[in-house]
Amino acid sequence: MRKLLRTIFLVDLAQGLWVTFRSQNTKNIYTEQYPAERPKVAERYRGAPRLNNNPDTGETLCICCDLCGFACPEQLIVVSSVRNPETRRKELTNFTYDVSRCMFCGLCEDACPVDCLELTQDFEIAQYSREGLIWDRQMLEEGPKPTQYSS
């Protein structure tokens, strides 16, 4: 009989709601105003990739060793190069990074001997199509351009 009365009067529901309302103190509520205020990202966060350039010459730091491509468990980095007959050095012709399949593990960044590939703290990399998530050399050097919202 007692169980029937608890079911009819929804005692368990009332107890659950009491727990909810008890913890709804206004000083504990925290809301981020996301587009207007940028959230703080953790210091070790790994986000959008970037190819670094030499600040003095403006040339890419990549030496075309393709170690980043070998280190990537998803095989999503493609590096193409041509050997310059005059300087006898490899010159980067194509660098493709498929961000849609990347799990942001950082192995490519660790494998790079000259620190040209870097995972930045940029987190706004969403696109409307998968083709927009395959970044070429130019996009990697410029980095993503987040949308600026105004109120």
Side-chain angles (χ1 to χ4, degrees):
M1 183 71 178
R2 187 173 184 170
K3 185 175 182 179
L4 178 65
L5 289 175
R6 286 181 66 90
T7 306
I8 291 173
F9 291 116
L10 303 172
V11 174
D12 294 332
L13 177 65
Q15 287 176 344
L17 287 173
W18 172 246
V19 170
T20 302
F21 291 130
R22 187 177 58 206
S23 62
Q24 291 294 324
N25 191 352
T26 56
K27 67 180 179 181
N28 297 332
I29 297 174
Y30 177 76
T31 303
E32 284 187 3
Q33 304 299 324
Y34 166 60
E37 298 175 13
R38 309 307 281 174
K40 292 182 181 178
V41 180
E43 185 180 332
R44 294 175 58 187
Y45 176 78
R46 294 186 296 246
R50 179 177 61 209
L51 272 178
N52 292 325
N53 292 331
N54 188 344
D56 299 332
T57 62
E59 295 178 359
T60 183
L61 292 173
C62 184
I63 58 173
C64 310
C65 63
D66 202 22
L67 289 176
C68 55
F70 290 129
C72 181
E74 295 292 323
Q75 304 297 315
L76 54 89
I77 302 173
V78 177
V79 180
S80 302
S81 63
V82 172
R83 188 169 297 275
N84 188 343
E86 295 173 4
T87 60
R88 302 181 68 190
R89 291 179 52 193
K90 288 183 178 179
E91 292 182 355
L92 185 65
T93 58
N94 188 18
F95 197 102
T96 307
Y97 197 108
D98 189 358
V99 182
S100 68
R101 293 176 33 217
C102 184
M103 57 185 172
F104 303 102
C105 62
L107 293 175
C108 57
E109 183 181 20
D110 293 338
C112 185
V114 291
D115 294 332
C116 87
L117 186 61
E118 170 183 35
L119 295 177
T120 63
Q121 291 191 335
D122 297 328
F123 59 90
E124 293 178 325
I125 57 175
Q127 296 286 327
Y128 287 107
S129 67
R130 289 192 180 195
E131 290 79 24
L133 291 172
I134 299 174
W135 292 2
D136 59 348
R137 177 182 176 179
Q138 179 183 1
M139 179 66 182
L140 285 166
E141 288 177 351
E142 293 173 2
K145 303 211 176 12
T147 305
Q148 297 294 328
Y149 298 100
S150 61
S151 51

